[in-house]
Amino acid sequence: LEKITMAASFLVENTKAPDQPLIEQLLDIAFGIDRRVKTSYRLREGSSPAEGLSLVVRDAAVGVAGAISFWPLAIGNAGTPALLLGPLVVHPERQNLGVGLALMQEGLARAKARGHRFVILVGDAPYYARVGFQKLPDGKFILPGPVDPERFLYVELVQGALSEASGLVLPPHRFAEISAAFAVPHQAERQ
């Protein structure tokens, strides 16, 4: 059972099934329904969030005051594991109170405790810099869609972990599909 943590005076806890519709409504309010066509959403398609890394802050007045999820990724030919942070959302009536910061701090702490080595995201650099995110070196990773390189960020949970990976970023199930297709050269031609 995952512990419940107080961070920056907010109770950060695991997301529960009844939270999902509320989180989706909050995401629609904050980012609009066109958010689903963004490249970062392509990295989540067909996947589930990383175990124990979907978190919420609840509030009696607004319900879900904020939510964050982390998603597993596979990078490059070796399928180096990483996490994708996002979405992070804070209810409009609870912004600028530290809810997002509390969610990020707790989420990154839990990710590190679970052995994850680094996290990437597409977002506002000054906002995410508060927890250590910085711009990825140009050309380090390739996403399955367009992204502003100034908004393509990372944070290492283990020093030097970023040097272990480069190349195409995919959800693990897509990496497995592609790897299987190339595992036996010319297999399709033999059938």
Side-chain angles (χ1 to χ4, degrees), residues 11-189:
L11 183 64
V12 178
E13 55 187 330
N14 291 329
T15 301
K16 297 176 182 167
D19 295 325
Q20 280 313 129
L22 301 171
I23 292 169
E24 286 300 316
Q25 289 173 355
L26 190 53
L27 288 166
D28 287 344
I29 291 167
F31 302 115
I33 58 171
D34 64 336
R35 65 187 162 83
R36 293 178 180 91
V37 299
K38 294 182 177 182
T39 298
S40 57
Y41 271 77
R42 290 184 188 154
L43 293 172
R44 296 190 278 270
E45 289 175 350
S47 294
S48 297
E51 182 70 30
L53 296 178
S54 286
L55 308 171
V56 295
V57 169
R58 298 181 213 291
D59 179 299
V62 298
V64 173
I68 193 171
S69 290
F70 294 81
W71 301 77
L73 298 173
I75 301 175
N77 293 336
T80 303
L83 289 175
L84 173 71
L85 184 158
L88 167 64
V89 65
V90 177
H91 192 286
E93 294 177 18
R94 296 300 180 261
Q95 292 180 357
N96 301 312
L97 300 176
V99 173
L101 182 61
L103 285 163
M104 287 189 293
Q105 289 172 333
E106 181 63 19
L108 291 170
R110 288 186 186 194
K112 184 174 183 173
R114 290 175 172 271
H116 295 284
R117 301 177 56 76
F118 68 95
V119 180
I120 64 172
L121 65 82
V122 178
D124 183 52
Y127 182 79
Y128 290 99
R130 299 181 305 160
V131 292
F133 279 90
Q134 55 191 310
K135 183 183 174 298
L136 268 162
D138 289 338
K140 179 81 172 160
F141 298 139
I142 303 164
L143 291 180
V147 63
D148 177 352
E150 297 301 314
R151 296 174 53 82
F152 198 8
L153 312 174
Y154 79 98
V155 67
E156 290 180 318
L157 303 177
V158 174
Q159 189 172 359
L162 190 69
S163 66
E164 300 169 1
S166 65
L168 183 62
V169 178
L170 294 170
H173 70 278
R174 292 289 299 141
F175 175 80
E177 291 168 6
I178 291 170
S179 294
F182 289 103
V184 181
H186 310 291
Q187 183 64 33
E189 294 174 8

